[in-house]
């Protein structure tokens, strides 16, 4: 049940139109129409869409990992007055529907002259990297024994050195989870690019695919080939990091 | 510890600034906007007080009530379906069968598929004339459906497509299940109880915190459905899938009525808060925390 749509997608992306609609349905393409991929990806500038998506994904990933891990450090390994209250307040933003902030955010970016640029999709990642990620890393940091910091303090280390030399390297697996989440979230983001981008030359794969759907509605073979191309990197990244991934979600799902 | 205060704030500054700039600021701005008639195409903007809200509730805007009703219908259909199905799958995956890791991966895989791509797959599977599902149904001599193109079937069809992506809910249930101590089951075995007694006396009570968490998250997510509305149906047919956030997007970004759309956004916020609050209140009577801590 969970696999059939995938199989259907892949088999259809490799068939010609007449075979796709054969009744009863056939599962094996005969012959394999590899040219579908070439056709689908060249009728629209998918190379440009791909480049834009890559720029967003990589810069967002870097920003998310750096600022969320720094933030999580400040919320778990440093004692300061009001820390937990501040953290609780930040956590409320997880409950807030995106719809409430989307219009003022849009107007704000527009006023700064940054509508129809990639900045609105990238810059927020450098401001905290998402409270969910901070939460996830904070949970992880809290499990690292305090003695490590104490010992480092005795040796004359400061907070920055403790973060870069001890905590960050020790939490590699949690960092990988955050990186994976960040990759998938920005690769899959649809509403953000839809609202902030106007020029085709800045479109991401998600928008390109939607545009493709509008233009080539009846070309199911090409539609499926294009969809498969957008899905595939996600699947590869997921399979590569699934060990950490499933652990990471498990980690966050414990407290009711 | 003065030093701690300084460094604590320094490390958390990006997150705190981010909250102020991208959450708190826009929230206040959105509240202010909802009290104006701001429209991108109009020269002047006036403060109109609660006019937007009276216009919404007076019944003048039929689409508001319509989209609200549709969204409620969607939430009512989807939340129990997601919770029951993902709990059932989690129970199956929690059995000690071979290849458990592979099944977990398979269940989770669809939830990483980009919304546009998964929508395209489903549009086609559900295509009334050419789709796999109708062709299978007719071969089995079962009634077919117009799915996304039928006024009555569109919402259940969207629910169906979103059920494909329940993987993360399943994983969270699995986490809850794996935290149940084995001794509880052994105690029931000693008393001669079967699987049903185990399920009703141990499993369900012990995972109530997880059910609670998943229910809240699913409610919040279901009220905000947008991608499916935009990609699968564009609100159609005949506005029968005019989801609330899609209507909000259309009002704000297509019709450029941003003041009015902000009022719509605040109403959604209040509705979500209300339902979250209700679930929190009722949770006292059904969520079991180990250690008997029922605050």
């Amino acid at each position: 049940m969970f696999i059939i749509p995938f199989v259907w997608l892949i088999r259809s992306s490799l068939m010609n139109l007449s075979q796709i609609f054969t009744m009863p349905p056939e599962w094996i393409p005969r012959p394999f129409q590899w040219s579908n991929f070439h056709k689908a990806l060249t009728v629209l500038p998918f190379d440009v869409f791909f480049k834009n998506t890559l720029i967003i994904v990589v810069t967002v990933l870097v920003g998310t990992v750096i600022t969320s891990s720094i933030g999580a450090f400040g919320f778990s390994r440093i004692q300061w007055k009001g820390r937990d209250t501040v953290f609780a307040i930040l956590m409320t933003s997880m409950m807030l529907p995106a719809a409430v902030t989307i219009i003022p955010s849009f107007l704000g970016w527009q006023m700064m002259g940054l509508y129809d640029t990639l900045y609105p999709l990238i810059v927020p990642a450098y401001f905290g990297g998402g409270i969910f990620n901070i939460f996830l890393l904070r949970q992880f940091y809290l499990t690292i024994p305090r003695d490590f910091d104490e010992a480092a303090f005795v040796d004359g280390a400061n907070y920055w050195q403790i973060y870069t030399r001890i905590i960050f390297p020790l939490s590699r697996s949690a960092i990988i989870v955050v990186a994976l989440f960040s990759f998938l979230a920005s690769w899959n983001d649809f509403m953000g690019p839809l609202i902030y981008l106007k020029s085709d030359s800045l479109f991401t794969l998600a928008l390109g695919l939607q545009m493709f759907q509008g233009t080539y509605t009846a070309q199911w073979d090409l539609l499926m080939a294009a969809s498969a191309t957008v899905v595939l990197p996600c699947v590869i990244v997921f399979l590569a990091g699934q060990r950490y991934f499933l652990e990471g979600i498990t980690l966050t799902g414990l407290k009711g | 510890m003065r030093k701690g205060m300084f460094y604590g704030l320094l490390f958390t500054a990006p997150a705190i600034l981010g909250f102020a700039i991208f959450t708190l600021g826009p929230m206040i701005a959105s509240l202010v906007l909802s009290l104006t008639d701001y429209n991108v195409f109009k020269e002047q903007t006036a403060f109109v007080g609660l006019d937007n809200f009276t216009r919404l509730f007076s019944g003048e805007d039929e689409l508001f009530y319509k989209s609200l009703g549709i969204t409620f219908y969607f939430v009512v259909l989807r939340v129990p379906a997601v919770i029951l199905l993902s709990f059932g799958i989690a129970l199956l995956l929690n059995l000690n069968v071979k290849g458990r890791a592979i099944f977990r991966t398979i269940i989770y895989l669809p939830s990483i598929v980009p919304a546009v791509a998964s929508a395209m797959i489903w549009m086609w599977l559900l295509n009334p004339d050419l789709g796999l599902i109708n062709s299978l149904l007719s071969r089995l001599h079962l009634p077919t459906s117009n799915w996304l193109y039928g006024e009555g079937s569109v919402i259940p069809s969207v629910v169906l497509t979103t059920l494909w992506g329940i993987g993360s809910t399943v994983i969270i249930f699995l986490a809850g299940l794996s935290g149940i101590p084995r001794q509880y089951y052994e105690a029931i075995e000693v008393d001669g109880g079967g699987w049903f007694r185990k399920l009703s006396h141990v499993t369900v009570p012990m995972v109530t915190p997880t059910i609670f968490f998943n229910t809240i998250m699913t409610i919040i997510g279901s009220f905000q459905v947008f991608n499916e509305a935009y990609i699968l149906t564009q609100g159609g047919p005949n506005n029968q899938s005019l989801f609330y956030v899609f209507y909000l997007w259309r009002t704000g970004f297509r019709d450029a009525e941003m003041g009015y759309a902000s009022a719509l956004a605040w109403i959604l916020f209040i509705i979500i808060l209300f339902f979250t609050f209700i679930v929190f209140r009722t949770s006292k009577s059904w969520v079991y925390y180990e250690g008997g801590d029922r605050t």
Side-chain angles (χ1 to χ4, degrees):
Chain A
M1 190 183 115
F2 285 82
I3 271 284
I4 288 172
F6 277 112
V7 178
W8 194 251
L9 168 73
I10 301 296
R11 73 116 219 182
S12 316
S13 68
L14 291 167
M15 287 178 171
N16 63 37
L17 261 182
S18 63
Q19 200 193 356
I20 286 182
F21 298 119
T22 313
M23 293 289 165
E26 289 180 28
W27 292 94
I28 311 287
R30 224 168 2 96
F32 283 76
Q33 252 341 86
W34 293 105
S35 59
N36 285 351
F37 281 87
H38 184 74
K39 263 188 246 162
L41 300 179
T42 44
V43 284
L44 286 183
F46 269 93
D47 51 339
V48 176
F49 303 157
F50 181 75
K51 197 193 79 195
N52 295 331
T53 309
L54 211 60
I55 293 171
I56 295 172
V57 165
V58 171
T59 49
V60 164
L61 196 141
V62 170
T64 301
V65 166
I66 294 173
T67 60
S68 65
S69 65
I70 288 177
F73 183 85
F75 281 119
S76 61
R77 310 294 297 186
I78 305 175
Q79 300 280 359
W80 47 284
K81 217 175 140 220
R83 180 186 79 178
D84 296 339
T85 314
V86 172
F87 185 68
I89 293 170
L90 297 203
M91 285 286 285
T92 60
S93 64
M94 268 165 66
M95 297 256 265
L96 185 77
V100 174
T101 54
I102 200 97
I103 289 172
S105 307
F106 170 80
L107 295 173
W109 289 109
Q110 201 185 33
M111 267 192 281
M112 288 195 289
L114 294 173
Y115 169 62
D116 204 26
T117 67
L118 299 181
Y119 290 104
L121 303 169
I122 293 170
V123 174
Y126 288 81
F127 286 86
I131 188 68
F132 178 75
N133 293 325
I134 296 180
F135 171 74
L136 206 143
L137 289 173
R138 180 177 162 275
Q139 294 288 92
F140 193 88
Y141 290 174
L142 287 172
T143 64
I144 301 172
R146 284 217 77 84
D147 312 356
F148 289 21
D149 309 24
E150 303 299 337
F153 269 129
V154 172
D155 290 345
N158 60 32
Y159 280 119
W160 179 249
Q161 286 164 330
I162 292 171
Y163 164 71
T164 52
R165 307 235 179 106
I166 301 173
I167 304 297
F168 191 85
L170 273 179
S171 47
R172 210 184 54 154
S173 61
I175 298 281
I176 291 173
V177 174
V178 168
L180 282 167
F181 276 136
S182 159
F183 172 90
L184 290 173
S186 53
W187 185 275
N188 293 351
D189 185 20
F190 180 68
M191 202 186 199
L194 179 72
I195 284 170
Y196 291 115
L197 304 176
K198 194 181 67 181
S199 322
D200 297 2
S201 62
L202 290 173
F203 273 18
T204 60
L205 284 171
L207 282 186
L209 200 55
Q210 154 73 22
M211 188 176 159
F212 190 80
Q213 182 204 5
T215 325
Y216 296 91
T217 311
Q219 302 272 31
W220 286 107
D221 50 346
L222 301 187
L223 274 170
M224 292 295 119
S227 308
T229 316
V230 176
V231 171
L232 204 64
C234 291
V235 174
I236 293 172
V237 165
F238 173 75
L239 291 179
Q242 58 149 317
R243 188 160 60 91
Y244 302 103
F245 211 99
L246 297 180
E247 263 171 34
I249 303 160
T250 312
L251 203 87
T252 56
L254 290 176
K255 295 277 183 295
Chain B
M1 284 191 81
R2 196 160 276 167
K3 230 174 141 190
M5 190 78 200
F6 173 75
Y7 281 107
L9 286 174
L10 193 66
F11 275 87
T12 55
I16 294 171
L17 270 175
F19 178 78
I21 299 170
F22 297 110
T23 303
L24 199 60
M27 259 181 90
I28 296 165
S30 156
L31 194 58
V32 174
L33 271 173
S34 74
L35 304 174
T36 70
D37 65 353
Y38 182 64
N39 182 320
V40 180
F41 297 137
K42 276 200 320 201
E43 291 271 305
Q44 287 196 330
T45 299
F47 184 79
V48 295
L50 293 174
D51 277 9
N52 286 330
F53 293 94
T54 28
R55 185 173 143 206
L56 279 168
F57 288 115
S58 67
E60 187 192 323
D61 181 357
E62 284 170 26
L63 292 180
F64 164 66
Y65 282 108
K66 182 152 199 167
S67 64
L68 206 54
I70 286 166
T71 308
F72 273 119
Y73 178 42
F74 179 75
V75 171
V76 167
L77 275 188
R78 182 170 186 261
V79 175
V82 167
I83 299 299
L84 288 174
L85 189 65
S86 51
F87 186 46
I89 293 174
L91 283 176
L92 286 176
L93 287 182
N94 200 42
L95 299 173
N96 226 337
V97 289
K98 249 194 182 166
R100 216 160 50 150
I102 296 170
F103 283 118
R104 286 184 184 198
T105 308
I106 289 174
I107 297 289
Y108 193 72
L109 214 48
S111 40
I112 61 162
V113 171
V116 195
S118 99
M120 284 191 3
I121 301 171
W122 280 100
M123 274 170 89
W124 190 24
L125 291 173
L126 293 174
N127 188 298
D129 306 317
L130 310 161
L132 178 68
I133 293 181
N134 267 0
S135 94
L136 286 178
L137 288 174
S138 62
R139 288 224 298 161
L140 298 167
H141 302 290
L142 291 167
T144 58
S145 165
N146 274 331
W147 303 111
L148 296 163
Y149 299 96
E151 288 194 16
S153 58
V154 59
I155 297 295
S157 303
V158 177
V159 171
L160 184 74
T161 69
T162 65
L163 288 182
W164 196 45
I166 58 170
S168 51
T169 316
V170 174
I171 302 291
I172 293 170
F173 268 126
L174 276 169
L177 287 173
S178 65
I180 303 176
R182 276 226 46 88
Q183 302 93 284
Y184 294 164
Y185 291 115
E186 282 157 9
I188 289 194
E189 275 165 28
V190 170
D191 292 346
W195 69 269
F196 185 76
R197 252 187 91 80
K198 284 185 194 167
L199 182 68
S200 61
H201 282 69
V202 178
T203 312
V204 173
M206 292 295 287
V207 292
T208 45
T210 317
I211 297 177
F212 173 64
F213 175 83
N214 275 337
T215 307
I216 296 239
M217 296 316 271
T218 312
I219 291 176
I220 294 176
S222 304
F223 268 113
Q224 297 188 68
V225 63
F226 172 79
N227 291 344
E228 284 79 4
Y230 185 94
I231 303 157
L232 283 174
T233 66
Q234 288 278 328
N238 191 22
N239 281 336
Q240 284 308 317
S241 64
L242 188 74
F243 285 100
Y244 195 89
V245 175
F246 180 72
Y247 179 53
L248 190 157
W249 170 84
R250 219 172 68 175
T251 311
F253 290 95
R254 200 196 63 187
D255 307 339
E257 287 202 59
M258 297 211 158
Y260 192 60
S262 299
L264 279 170
W266 269 85
I267 291 172
L268 179 70
F269 184 33
I270 290 161
I271 290 172
I272 292 178
L273 273 187
F274 175 77
F275 279 95
T276 313
F277 175 75
I278 294 280
V279 179
F280 261 100
R281 280 301 291 267
T282 64
S283 73
K284 282 179 192 168
S285 61
W286 62 272
V287 176
Y288 170 82
Y289 288 105
E290 220 178 345
D293 206 354
R294 295 192 185 193
T295 42

